[in-house]
Amino acid sequence: MSAPTIAVLVAAVIALVLPFMLSNFRLFQFTQVFIYAIALLGLNMLTGFNGQISLGHGAFFAVGAYTGAIMMDRWNVPYGWTIPVGGLLCLIVGFLFGIPALRLEGLYLALATFALALAVPQILKYFEHWTGGSQGIVLTKPAAPFGLPLSEDQWFYFVTLVVLFVMFVLARNLLSGRIGRALVAIRDNPLAAEAMGVNKALYKSLTFGVSAAYTGVAGALSAVAIAFVAPDSFNILLSISLLTGSVIGGLASISGAIYGALFIQFVPNWAQDISKAAPWAIFGLFLIVFMYVMPYGIAGALRLVWNRLTRPQG
Amino acid sequence: MSALLSVRDVTVRFGGIIALDGVSFDMDEGLVVGLIGPNGAGKTTLFNCLSRLYTPNKGDIVFQGGSLLGRAPHEISTLGIGRTFQNLALFGTMTALQNVMVGVHGRTRSDFLSNALRLSWVRDEEEQIRSAAAELLRFLDLERVAHVPVAGLAFGTLKRVELARALASRPKLLLLDEPAGGLNHEEVGVLGTLLRSVKDQLGVTILLVEHHMNLVMQVSDRVVVLDFGRKIAEGAPVEIQRNPEVIRAYLGDAQ
Ligand SMILES: Nc1ncnc2c1ncn2[C@@H]1O[C@H](COP(=O)(O)OP(=O)(O)OP(=O)(O)O)[C@@H](O)[C@H]1O
Ligand SMILES: [Mg+2]
């Protein structure tokens, strides 16, 4: 068996026993990790593989979350439907946003997406009739079906785990073949990519769409997991956290999404534990240390260690 | 029979500079045509017009009976025109094999959704891409570096990876922009043999931009000479070597 296969199997076993060893609150935190991991996977595709920087993915997260919340709150749609619908809607919104974004490169694209992230909480407040304004929308956590002996948090942990697994398989398939190579080719050398027949404009906007769809699925899951949405949970800090997680986990790496998600879920809490007075200073310190020690993210560092261990001596 | 490529009265201006000034020539299938001229003569500019990176201010470019000017840059490879770049344009983070696999992109079809679902025809297509690329690496004696990221490879090797990548689209017409640039004497000799076998074995028509005169005169069937954006001569290599205007252009360049 290859190293990645073993790693995936070990991770799967841990993920399956975790719900029976942790408190509901701890478990909820891991559900959050999975949700972030899905969003980060989408952001990695866009920024890591395709080279388009987004400082605004919190906006798509919000669109996914509110789509789900409104569907459940207004129309009593079962939560299972909100996940694909949130994803599809973000696919369309992301694709459409990706078209004008084609004219922007590097920092200019970062600024445009930043503007999007700034605008979204206020837009949500404006459409009060649908979104509940600043109060947000309160939902109920779904109970386990078929009389399964699982708590609400345990049940939704498993739902999220399954969605995460499916999203990872789809991403791996997409990125490891002809399309994935084309995305990296666009990032590495756009002119040469076009000369090789890659439709740069189409691929970049589609990647924007797919990336937004991943983040939208994550948003829809988070609405159910937290059972509450409010505009201020989707402020600019969320967008910046996502980009942070993506870089720390390892850009252009699929497994990096998991490491990045663990980082943005737990490191702020640790920082809080260490110093109540200055948690952000501690967080910033962590960030700098991580970047300094692992310039290619956690995934890159692990790959390096693994190569050292397996390379024949000499 | 009409020409494979027909460049008709092409003019390109950049602000005040006239990079190409009413250039016309035809290329028949199965030939190697050398395109020479002093620095700044407009050779790369012409390539960039053929790749649709630049749009001529005037004139037309006809390939296999159809104008290229209505085409987008990414359609050119699919139409059957492959190219290399004067200053290497490889995908730096990819291995040699992956670079060449991208070269197959233009003649394969799979979309985002089918790839995400890894449908069985997508797996077949991927196999075909991989074996086509592997075969080209063999042809160009690059098997050794197949799995090495190109960022760390020697210059001469990179030139060959670029050639393999351009051939991967199975072009009818191959545009080579200074393939001998930066190669040592021995490597240039190998390149000459290689270009001839690309022409003879793979049946590819070649437009060759090159400053290395021995190579050009050795492999070309015809030669087109540009100077300051104008075509100053066209003919068989022996005629070009004796042409007084060509000699003057090159001597003038050397002063
Ligand atoms: N994008 C551009 N913008 C402005 N001027 C350009 C551009 N591309 C080329 N030129 C100018 O057009 C002229 C022709 O350049 P080109 O690169 O085609 O020459 P070349 O024949 O390929 O020269 P070399 O042998 O040095 O590669 C030069 O004067 C160059 O400065
Ligand atoms: Mg040039």
Side-chain angles (χ1 to χ4, degrees):
Chain A
M1 257 191 296
S2 70
T5 321
I6 296 172
V8 167
L9 282 180
V10 170
V13 170
I14 295 175
L16 288 176
V17 299
L18 223 47
F20 306 104
M21 311 189 49
L22 295 179
S23 69
N24 277 334
F25 176 68
R26 280 271 168 222
L27 201 57
F28 166 76
Q29 288 185 318
F30 275 96
T31 307
Q32 292 274 48
V33 168
F34 296 165
I35 290 171
Y36 283 140
I38 295 170
L40 291 184
L41 197 53
L43 187 55
N44 256 345
M45 252 180 230
L46 184 72
T47 303
F49 285 83
N50 198 215
Q52 304 190 69
I53 301 176
S54 171
L55 261 174
H57 260 46
F60 299 113
F61 200 93
V63 170
Y66 268 90
T67 305
I70 293 170
M71 284 169 74
M72 288 183 279
D73 182 53
R74 292 266 154 171
W75 303 313
N76 281 318
V77 178
Y79 66 93
W81 286 104
T82 68
I83 297 159
V85 172
L88 277 178
L89 190 72
C90 282
L91 181 76
I92 297 164
V93 175
F95 179 73
L96 294 178
F97 186 86
I99 296 171
L102 288 172
R103 301 186 163 275
L104 306 168
E105 299 275 332
L107 289 172
Y108 292 93
L109 179 61
L111 280 187
T113 50
F114 179 71
L116 185 70
L118 281 180
V120 158
Q122 297 194 336
I123 295 172
L124 289 172
K125 283 178 199 168
Y126 183 80
F127 291 101
E128 198 172 349
H129 172 70
W130 289 94
T131 62
S134 329
Q135 303 299 312
I137 303 172
V138 178
L139 304 160
T140 44
K141 283 195 183 186
F146 321 119
L148 288 174
L150 296 173
S151 73
E152 287 152 356
D153 286 312
Q154 281 174 325
W155 165 245
F156 204 66
Y157 171 94
F158 283 114
V159 172
T160 310
L161 183 62
V162 169
V163 176
L164 174 75
F165 180 75
V166 171
M167 298 305 269
F168 261 74
V169 170
L170 293 177
R172 199 217 39 201
N173 290 349
L174 183 68
L175 294 171
S176 64
R178 172 176 180 267
I179 305 288
R181 280 190 302 273
L183 299 190
V184 176
I186 291 172
R187 178 196 73 193
D188 281 4
N189 197 321
L191 284 185
E194 282 199 288
M196 299 305 129
V198 177
N199 187 342
K200 184 178 77 178
L202 179 69
Y203 275 38
K204 281 177 84 169
S205 358
L206 276 174
T207 306
F208 219 110
V210 174
S211 168
Y214 268 76
T215 310
V217 164
L221 285 167
S222 100
V224 183
I226 303 175
F228 176 60
V229 291
D232 292 326
S233 353
F234 308 109
N235 62 16
I236 186 68
L237 204 58
L238 174 62
S239 292
I240 293 173
S241 285
L242 292 177
L243 192 62
T244 307
S246 173
V247 174
I248 292 287
L251 282 167
S253 128
I254 291 177
S255 61
I258 300 267
Y259 312 130
L262 287 166
F263 186 92
I264 59 179
Q265 173 64 31
F266 291 114
V267 173
N269 292 352
W270 289 337
Q272 194 97 44
D273 292 343
I274 294 170
S275 160
K276 287 260 177 311
W280 288 113
I282 303 285
F283 181 77
L285 200 67
F286 266 115
L287 205 57
I288 290 169
V289 170
F290 265 80
M291 283 189 299
Y292 191 76
V293 178
M294 308 183 206
Y296 296 100
I298 301 173
L302 289 176
R303 207 176 304 132
L304 216 68
V305 169
W306 176 255
N307 287 346
R308 282 250 168 96
L309 288 177
T310 54
R311 198 169 356 160
Q313 302 297 317
Chain B
M1 205 194 85
S2 70
L4 178 68
L5 176 77
S6 176
V7 174
R8 299 179 184 165
D9 197 22
V10 167
T11 297
V12 176
R13 280 188 219 97
F14 297 108
I17 300 172
I18 301 188
L20 288 174
D21 190 0
V23 172
S24 300
F25 64 92
D26 282 356
M27 273 184 83
D28 287 330
E29 201 162 339
L31 298 188
V32 175
V33 174
L35 179 63
I36 62 170
N39 292 112
K43 307 176 296 290
T44 300
T45 302
L46 182 71
F47 270 24
N48 287 341
C49 289
L50 289 165
S51 304
R52 297 292 299 117
L53 300 177
Y54 298 162
T55 299
N57 300 83
K58 208 176 83 182
D60 199 2
I61 299 169
V62 177
F63 179 70
Q64 291 191 308
S67 172
L68 288 183
L69 298 187
R71 301 292 186 161
H74 71 265
E75 293 175 308
I76 300 301
S77 139
T78 312
L79 286 173
I81 302 179
R83 77 169 287 182
T84 64
F85 294 80
Q86 183 171 348
N87 309 303
L88 295 174
L90 286 164
F91 307 120
T93 61
M94 296 190 196
T95 65
L97 179 69
Q98 287 167 332
N99 266 276
V100 181
M101 286 171 84
V102 177
V104 188
H105 188 94
R107 59 180 176 89
T108 41
R109 294 278 68 90
S110 64
D111 55 293
F112 272 62
L113 186 61
S114 324
N115 266 262
L117 299 174
R118 201 175 270 213
L119 301 178
S120 79
W121 68 269
V122 173
R123 285 200 300 268
D124 293 346
E125 184 191 75
E126 182 73 6
E127 243 351 278
Q128 282 159 17
I129 294 172
R130 184 175 296 275
S131 64
E135 195 178 315
L136 277 168
L137 289 183
R138 233 181 346 265
F139 180 68
L140 291 173
D141 197 20
L142 288 165
E143 285 163 296
R144 221 170 12 86
V145 297
H147 299 289
V148 181
V150 294
L153 294 176
F155 190 76
T157 313
L158 295 177
K159 284 264 177 187
R160 263 182 300 146
V161 175
E162 249 210 1
L163 181 58
R165 186 181 69 176
L167 287 171
S169 64
R170 298 208 183 123
K172 294 194 186 66
L173 173 63
L174 180 61
L175 312 174
L176 300 176
D177 200 345
E178 301 196 17
L183 300 191
N184 63 35
H185 186 73
E186 192 187 337
E187 287 172 324
V188 173
V190 175
L191 179 66
T193 318
L194 189 63
L195 293 186
R196 242 171 283 132
S197 64
V198 167
K199 174 191 159 188
D200 298 336
Q201 288 181 30
L202 307 179
V204 178
T205 306
I206 300 175
L207 182 58
L208 171 68
V209 166
E210 192 44 73
H211 284 296
H212 201 289
M213 283 310 143
N214 284 345
L215 178 67
V216 176
M217 297 305 166
Q218 199 185 8
V219 302
S220 303
D221 300 296
R222 290 185 75 71
V223 176
V224 172
V225 189
L226 296 180
D227 188 27
F228 290 114
R230 283 169 197 269
K231 185 174 92 173
I232 57 167
E234 176 175 359
V238 276
E239 294 162 26
I240 294 300
Q241 280 165 304
R242 287 196 305 252
N243 185 310
E245 218 174 327
V246 175
I247 294 168
R248 197 172 326 120
Y250 271 91
L251 286 181
D253 191 52
Q255 275 162 10

